Amino acid sequence: MFERSTLMTSSLDSEELDRLLAPISQHLVYPPKHIFQLPGETIEGVYYIKSGRTKHYMDNNEGCFKILYTLSAGWFFGETPLFLNKETSLYSQTETKTTIYLIPVNETYRLMRENELFRDTLLQCFSQKMLILRYEIGNLAFNSCKNRLKRLFCAAVERENMTDPGWYNLRIHYTHSELGEIVGGARVTISRQLTELCNEGFIRIINRRIQVNAEEYHRYMQSSR
């Protein structure tokens, strides 16, 4: 799973969990592309994504970003700084219109003690995020920027959608900036690597959208096993 990760999680939506949290939470509604949390801010509880999608990333203040993960409905975040009594070290931003439940500290600890569904889901979210981060550490440590791009593109191909013989579309449309944020590279580096991948026949760019060569995709996936 994580070897082919796009850092985007699947929904964990739970009607039972929604009903449990709605009456005790502060409801926050944000528009798309809204940064609602900054590094250094104090966490006031655990956050639960009722609907929408958020991304969480780091910034080195020199124009280089790195996305850690993108979370969907049903996911918790903010538990690590809360339980460690630390300020957050990440930027949190909506990707779509998003509704978030902010569960106060006292209610968070009460539910951890008393509610199995809350506790198990929170631990599941924490554990899966740790696995994503472990994957990313290995990816950054052992793979070049070009290979990280290849991994990302292969993870995002629509195998059932081949518009032209021999070429796969991607499920996600990436800008150069977004690619840099995901794989951890400067925009100029991303542009250079995309040109190289085009010259090597691994990808092509049609109307600003990236397509992956089917033969190269299968060769790469076979070599990555």
Short mmCIF file of all heavy atoms in Angstrom, two decimals, residues 196-220:
data_model
loop_
_atom_site.label_atom_id
_atom_site.label_comp_id
_atom_site.label_asym_id
_atom_site.label_seq_id
_atom_site.Cartn_x
_atom_site.Cartn_y
_atom_site.Cartn_z
N GLU A 196 13.39 15.34 -18.33
CA GLU A 196 14.17 14.11 -18.50
C GLU A 196 13.26 12.89 -18.64
O GLU A 196 13.50 12.02 -19.49
CB GLU A 196 15.13 13.91 -17.32
CG GLU A 196 16.27 14.91 -17.28
CD GLU A 196 17.27 14.60 -16.18
OE1 GLU A 196 17.21 13.49 -15.61
OE2 GLU A 196 18.12 15.47 -15.88
N LEU A 197 12.20 12.83 -17.84
CA LEU A 197 11.28 11.69 -17.92
C LEU A 197 10.54 11.68 -19.26
O LEU A 197 10.26 10.61 -19.81
CB LEU A 197 10.29 11.74 -16.76
CG LEU A 197 10.86 11.41 -15.37
CD1 LEU A 197 9.83 11.68 -14.28
CD2 LEU A 197 11.33 9.96 -15.31
N CYS A 198 10.25 12.87 -19.78
CA CYS A 198 9.64 12.94 -21.12
C CYS A 198 10.63 12.45 -22.18
O CYS A 198 10.26 11.65 -23.07
CB CYS A 198 9.22 14.37 -21.43
SG CYS A 198 7.72 14.94 -20.60
N ASN A 199 11.88 12.89 -22.09
CA ASN A 199 12.89 12.48 -23.07
C ASN A 199 13.16 10.98 -23.01
O ASN A 199 13.49 10.35 -24.03
CB ASN A 199 14.19 13.25 -22.83
CG ASN A 199 14.06 14.73 -23.14
OD1 ASN A 199 13.18 15.14 -23.90
ND2 ASN A 199 14.94 15.55 -22.57
N GLU A 200 13.00 10.41 -21.82
CA GLU A 200 13.23 8.96 -21.65
C GLU A 200 12.00 8.14 -22.04
O GLU A 200 12.07 6.91 -22.07
CB GLU A 200 13.59 8.67 -20.19
CG GLU A 200 14.94 9.26 -19.78
CD GLU A 200 15.15 9.22 -18.28
OE1 GLU A 200 14.29 8.63 -17.57
OE2 GLU A 200 16.16 9.75 -17.81
N GLY A 201 10.88 8.81 -22.33
CA GLY A 201 9.68 8.10 -22.74
C GLY A 201 8.85 7.55 -21.60
O GLY A 201 7.90 6.79 -21.83
N PHE A 202 9.19 7.91 -20.37
CA PHE A 202 8.43 7.39 -19.22
C PHE A 202 7.08 8.10 -19.12
O PHE A 202 6.08 7.47 -18.78
CB PHE A 202 9.23 7.59 -17.93
CG PHE A 202 8.66 6.85 -16.75
CD1 PHE A 202 9.05 5.54 -16.49
CD2 PHE A 202 7.75 7.44 -15.91
CE1 PHE A 202 8.53 4.85 -15.40
CE2 PHE A 202 7.22 6.76 -14.82
CZ PHE A 202 7.61 5.45 -14.57
N ILE A 203 7.06 9.40 -19.40
CA ILE A 203 5.82 10.18 -19.38
C ILE A 203 5.73 11.02 -20.65
O ILE A 203 6.71 11.16 -21.39
CB ILE A 203 5.72 11.12 -18.15
CG1 ILE A 203 6.84 12.17 -18.20
CG2 ILE A 203 5.74 10.32 -16.86
CD1 ILE A 203 6.69 13.29 -17.17
N ARG A 204 4.56 11.58 -20.87
CA ARG A 204 4.39 12.65 -21.84
C ARG A 204 3.39 13.63 -21.23
O ARG A 204 2.63 13.27 -20.31
CB ARG A 204 3.90 12.13 -23.18
CG ARG A 204 2.48 11.59 -23.19
CD ARG A 204 2.09 11.11 -24.58
NE ARG A 204 0.70 10.65 -24.61
CZ ARG A 204 0.10 10.18 -25.70
NH1 ARG A 204 0.78 10.10 -26.85
NH2 ARG A 204 -1.17 9.79 -25.66
N ILE A 205 3.40 14.86 -21.71
CA ILE A 205 2.51 15.89 -21.18
C ILE A 205 1.64 16.41 -22.32
O ILE A 205 2.14 16.97 -23.30
CB ILE A 205 3.31 17.05 -20.55
CG1 ILE A 205 4.18 16.51 -19.40
CG2 ILE A 205 2.36 18.13 -20.02
CD1 ILE A 205 5.08 17.55 -18.77
N ILE A 206 0.33 16.16 -22.20
CA ILE A 206 -0.65 16.56 -23.21
C ILE A 206 -1.62 17.54 -22.57
O ILE A 206 -2.27 17.22 -21.57
CB ILE A 206 -1.43 15.34 -23.74
CG1 ILE A 206 -0.47 14.27 -24.28
CG2 ILE A 206 -2.43 15.77 -24.80
CD1 ILE A 206 0.29 14.69 -25.51
N ASN A 207 -1.70 18.74 -23.13
CA ASN A 207 -2.57 19.78 -22.57
C ASN A 207 -2.31 19.98 -21.07
O ASN A 207 -3.24 20.08 -20.27
CB ASN A 207 -4.04 19.44 -22.81
CG ASN A 207 -4.40 19.42 -24.29
OD1 ASN A 207 -3.86 20.20 -25.07
ND2 ASN A 207 -5.29 18.52 -24.67
N ARG A 208 -1.02 20.00 -20.71
CA ARG A 208 -0.56 20.23 -19.34
C ARG A 208 -0.90 19.09 -18.39
O ARG A 208 -0.75 19.23 -17.18
CB ARG A 208 -1.11 21.55 -18.78
CG ARG A 208 -0.65 22.78 -19.56
CD ARG A 208 -1.11 24.05 -18.88
NE ARG A 208 -0.62 25.22 -19.60
CZ ARG A 208 -0.84 26.47 -19.22
NH1 ARG A 208 -1.53 26.71 -18.10
NH2 ARG A 208 -0.38 27.49 -19.92
N ARG A 209 -1.34 17.97 -18.92
CA ARG A 209 -1.65 16.81 -18.08
C ARG A 209 -0.65 15.69 -18.38
O ARG A 209 -0.33 15.42 -19.53
CB ARG A 209 -3.08 16.33 -18.31
CG ARG A 209 -4.11 17.30 -17.76
CD ARG A 209 -5.52 16.75 -17.87
NE ARG A 209 -6.48 17.66 -17.22
CZ ARG A 209 -6.85 17.57 -15.97
NH1 ARG A 209 -6.35 16.63 -15.20
NH2 ARG A 209 -7.71 18.43 -15.46
N ILE A 210 -0.19 15.07 -17.31
CA ILE A 210 0.84 14.04 -17.42
C ILE A 210 0.19 12.70 -17.71
O ILE A 210 -0.80 12.31 -17.08
CB ILE A 210 1.66 13.98 -16.11
CG1 ILE A 210 2.42 15.29 -15.90
CG2 ILE A 210 2.63 12.80 -16.13
CD1 ILE A 210 3.06 15.42 -14.55
N GLN A 211 0.76 11.97 -18.66
CA GLN A 211 0.38 10.59 -18.94
C GLN A 211 1.61 9.71 -18.81
O GLN A 211 2.73 10.13 -19.11
CB GLN A 211 -0.22 10.45 -20.34
CG GLN A 211 -1.52 11.22 -20.54
CD GLN A 211 -2.07 11.07 -21.95
OE1 GLN A 211 -1.32 10.88 -22.91
NE2 GLN A 211 -3.39 11.16 -22.08
N VAL A 212 1.40 8.47 -18.35
CA VAL A 212 2.48 7.53 -18.12
C VAL A 212 2.45 6.46 -19.19
O VAL A 212 1.39 5.89 -19.50
CB VAL A 212 2.38 6.89 -16.72
CG1 VAL A 212 3.47 5.83 -16.51
CG2 VAL A 212 2.46 7.96 -15.64
N ASN A 213 3.62 6.17 -19.76
CA ASN A 213 3.73 5.11 -20.76
C ASN A 213 3.42 3.76 -20.11
O ASN A 213 4.03 3.40 -19.10
CB ASN A 213 5.15 5.11 -21.34
CG ASN A 213 5.32 4.08 -22.42
OD1 ASN A 213 5.60 2.92 -22.13
ND2 ASN A 213 5.19 4.49 -23.67
N ALA A 214 2.48 3.02 -20.69
CA ALA A 214 2.03 1.77 -20.08
C ALA A 214 3.15 0.74 -19.98
O ALA A 214 3.30 0.05 -18.96
CB ALA A 214 0.85 1.19 -20.88
N GLU A 215 3.96 0.63 -21.03
CA GLU A 215 5.06 -0.34 -21.00
C GLU A 215 6.08 0.02 -19.92
O GLU A 215 6.54 -0.84 -19.16
CB GLU A 215 5.74 -0.38 -22.37
CG GLU A 215 6.84 -1.42 -22.47
CD GLU A 215 7.43 -1.49 -23.86
OE1 GLU A 215 6.77 -1.03 -24.82
OE2 GLU A 215 8.56 -2.00 -24.00
N GLU A 216 6.40 1.33 -19.82
CA GLU A 216 7.34 1.77 -18.79
C GLU A 216 6.75 1.58 -17.39
O GLU A 216 7.47 1.25 -16.44
CB GLU A 216 7.70 3.24 -19.01
CG GLU A 216 8.51 3.51 -20.27
CD GLU A 216 9.92 2.93 -20.16
OE1 GLU A 216 10.40 2.72 -19.04
OE2 GLU A 216 10.52 2.69 -21.22
N TYR A 217 5.44 1.80 -17.27
CA TYR A 217 4.77 1.60 -15.98
C TYR A 217 4.93 0.16 -15.52
O TYR A 217 5.33 -0.11 -14.37
CB TYR A 217 3.29 1.96 -16.10
CG TYR A 217 2.44 1.44 -14.97
CD1 TYR A 217 2.37 2.11 -13.75
CD2 TYR A 217 1.70 0.26 -15.11
CE1 TYR A 217 1.60 1.64 -12.70
CE2 TYR A 217 0.92 -0.23 -14.07
CZ TYR A 217 0.88 0.46 -12.87
OH TYR A 217 0.12 -0.03 -11.83
N HIS A 218 4.60 -0.80 -16.39
CA HIS A 218 4.68 -2.21 -16.00
C HIS A 218 6.12 -2.63 -15.74
O HIS A 218 6.38 -3.42 -14.81
CB HIS A 218 4.03 -3.08 -17.08
CG HIS A 218 2.55 -2.92 -17.15
ND1 HIS A 218 1.69 -3.36 -16.17
CD2 HIS A 218 1.76 -2.33 -18.10
CE1 HIS A 218 0.44 -3.08 -16.50
NE2 HIS A 218 0.45 -2.45 -17.67
N ARG A 219 7.06 -2.09 -16.50
CA ARG A 219 8.47 -2.41 -16.26
C ARG A 219 8.92 -1.89 -14.90
O ARG A 219 9.61 -2.58 -14.14
CB ARG A 219 9.33 -1.83 -17.37
CG ARG A 219 10.83 -2.18 -17.24
CD ARG A 219 11.66 -1.56 -18.36
NE ARG A 219 11.29 -2.11 -19.65
CZ ARG A 219 10.75 -1.42 -20.65
NH1 ARG A 219 10.52 -0.11 -20.50
NH2 ARG A 219 10.46 -1.99 -21.79
N TYR A 220 8.49 -0.66 -14.58
CA TYR A 220 8.89 -0.07 -13.30
C TYR A 220 8.25 -0.83 -12.14
O TYR A 220 8.92 -1.09 -11.13
CB TYR A 220 8.48 1.40 -13.27
CG TYR A 220 8.92 2.09 -12.00
CD1 TYR A 220 10.21 2.58 -11.85
CD2 TYR A 220 8.05 2.24 -10.91
CE1 TYR A 220 10.61 3.20 -10.69
CE2 TYR A 220 8.44 2.85 -9.75
CZ TYR A 220 9.73 3.34 -9.64
OH TYR A 220 10.14 3.92 -8.48
#
